[in-house]
Amino acid sequence: MKKFYLVLCSTLLCFASQARELTFYIGDTPIENGATVEFTDINVEDYGDYKEVTMAPALYVSTDLFTNALSVTATCTSGQTIQLCAGGNCQAGTTVTKSNVTISTNQKLPLQFEYIAELDGDEEVPVVTAKIEAQDGTYEATYKSYTIVMGKQTGVTLIENSPELTYAEGAFEYNLTAPAAFALYNTVGLQVLGAQLEGHGTLAADGLTAGIYVYTLGSKTGKIYVK
């Protein structure tokens, strides 16, 4: 009888191990295993001769059972240097692995994954592609992965978003409660676009060369990056 219980307990432990489940998230949205996710929220700080570029998607991983043996790997398949923290000291490289990561049951662990670079003023912001993988210890059944593509976009990107001004399909879309003058300037201060805007509508923005621009909308200012 004692032997029977030992066998039963062993079987249940094995079952529990196989039931362990990992789930990736971007924000609050689950990511399907093997999926490709696009992230286009780029922060560009322009300093004239150079610019600082940051791509930092809110990536998480969760598990249905407590573990202190989680392994997370980020591999930049496009060759850039990336950074991964995953609940501990941050590490940078083209491939980063964090081992023996602790995560509590049904809690979302921030991966703190990001691409940060200093580029020349006229250098184009790259498309950064990375494969994210995770596995709980030696349990191969828990292995999950997906690919994230960051910066894959064309046209105009608002660096400083405003509820009154957005960009979509080659044009600025505005929604104003009062009339306002709009002006767009390049980095040497030359005005390249201007209009008096009122109410709701669109303003064509095609024909702009790549680079950083500053805009004014009434008393407000902001920046855009044209890729």
Side-chain angles (χ1 to χ4, degrees), residues 94-149:
T94 54
T95 298
V96 178
T97 297
K98 300 298 297 291
S99 302
N100 299 321
V101 176
T102 298
I103 178 171
S104 298
T105 303
N106 296 326
Q107 287 193 358
K108 291 167 60 180
L109 175 74
L111 298 183
Q112 294 176 270
F113 169 82
E114 58 189 4
Y115 164 79
I116 301 176
E118 184 178 298
L119 307 178
D120 293 337
D122 58 353
E123 189 175 351
E124 189 171 309
V125 175
V127 174
V128 180
T129 303
K131 184 177 183 180
I132 311 296
E133 303 168 272
Q135 183 172 317
D136 186 4
T138 59
Y139 305 127
E140 294 183 2
T142 65
Y143 175 82
K144 294 289 180 66
S145 70
Y146 67 96
T147 298
I148 185 165
V149 181

Side-chain angles (χ1 to χ4, degrees), residues 74-76 80-84 91-94 96 113-115 128 130:
T75 302
C76 186
Q80 292 89 0
T81 297
I82 53 178
Q83 180 171 276
L84 179 71
Q91 297 180 16
T94 54
V96 178
F113 169 82
E114 58 189 4
Y115 164 79
V128 180

Side-chain angles (χ1 to χ4, degrees), residues 153-173:
Q153 56 188 60
T154 58
V156 180
T157 300
L158 287 175
I159 297 174
E160 299 173 7
N161 290 307
S162 166
E164 297 178 322
L165 187 69
T166 58
Y167 175 80
E169 299 182 0
F172 290 103
E173 183 174 348

Side-chain angles (χ1 to χ4, degrees), residues 15-32:
F15 177 78
S17 298
Q18 293 175 344
R20 200 165 281 165
E21 179 72 17
L22 299 179
T23 304
F24 281 115
Y25 294 85
I26 181 166
D28 294 324
T29 303
I31 302 173
E32 293 185 8

Side-chain angles (χ1 to χ4, degrees), residues 183-195:
L184 188 67
Y185 303 87
N186 61 20
T187 53
V188 297
L190 179 66
Q191 183 173 339
V192 296
L193 185 63

